Amino acid sequence: MNVPKELFYTKEHVWVKKLDNDSVLVGLTDKAQNDLNSMVFVNLPFVGDSFAADDVLCDVESVKSVSDVYAPVSGTVAKVNEILMDTPELINQDPYGAWIAELAGVSGMENLLSADDYAAQCEDE
């Protein structure tokens, strides 16, 4: 299982990459894409939508099921990765490159897990 050290994580298998400003990129972890299996659809949020941490940000559909993706932090959607609309399987191929959304004006970063803490949690599951 790949757990990049420079990212932050949630217990629900979402990764967060801090950008230079008050924005973050959000995506599904390697464990999440592996558990869900082959992605067939991503229902992206809309630019301008605001979310509190733990709100449903979007959902993803795999050959196994439809799963909600929860916002890891509070913020407003600044961008979405529209490429995923046509090629959702990119999440399986490159989970840390296939970001879902960029959130701006974020708060709640202090509640995220470090890479080591996330890896330990996954080992316990």
Side-chain angles (χ1 to χ4, degrees):
M1 178 178 64
N2 183 14
V3 182
K5 295 280 187 194
E6 70 276 9
L7 302 178
F8 298 92
Y9 300 87
T10 69
K11 292 178 181 178
E12 293 78 25
H13 310 292
V14 173
W15 61 261
V16 176
K17 179 180 182 180
K18 183 107 174 82
L19 301 177
D20 291 338
N21 47 25
D22 68 342
S23 298
V24 297
L25 292 180
V26 174
L28 292 176
T29 66
D30 189 33
K31 178 169 180 15
Q33 70 79 23
N34 189 56
D35 290 351
L36 291 170
N37 208 330
S38 299
M39 296 291 173
V40 295
F41 184 73
V42 178
N43 187 20
L44 295 169
F46 293 101
V47 171
D49 285 353
S50 293
F51 295 91
D54 300 323
D55 284 352
V56 175
L57 178 68
C58 67
D59 58 70
V60 294
E61 184 177 344
S62 71
V63 294
K64 288 184 173 183
S65 65
V66 175
S67 299
D68 289 334
V69 176
Y70 297 95
V73 292
S74 297
T76 301
V77 177
K79 295 179 188 174
V80 294
N81 190 353
E82 293 181 3
I83 294 169
L84 296 179
M85 294 174 71
D86 294 325
T87 52
E89 65 273 10
L90 288 176
I91 293 174
N92 297 111
Q93 296 166 5
D94 183 13
Y96 299 109
W99 55 277
I100 293 170
E102 179 182 327
L103 301 178
V106 301
S107 63
M109 290 289 293
E110 67 278 1
N111 298 321
L112 299 175
L113 301 172
S114 69
D116 290 339
D117 290 342
Y118 176 71
Q121 173 202 299
C122 291
E123 288 176 13
D124 291 341
E125 289 182 352

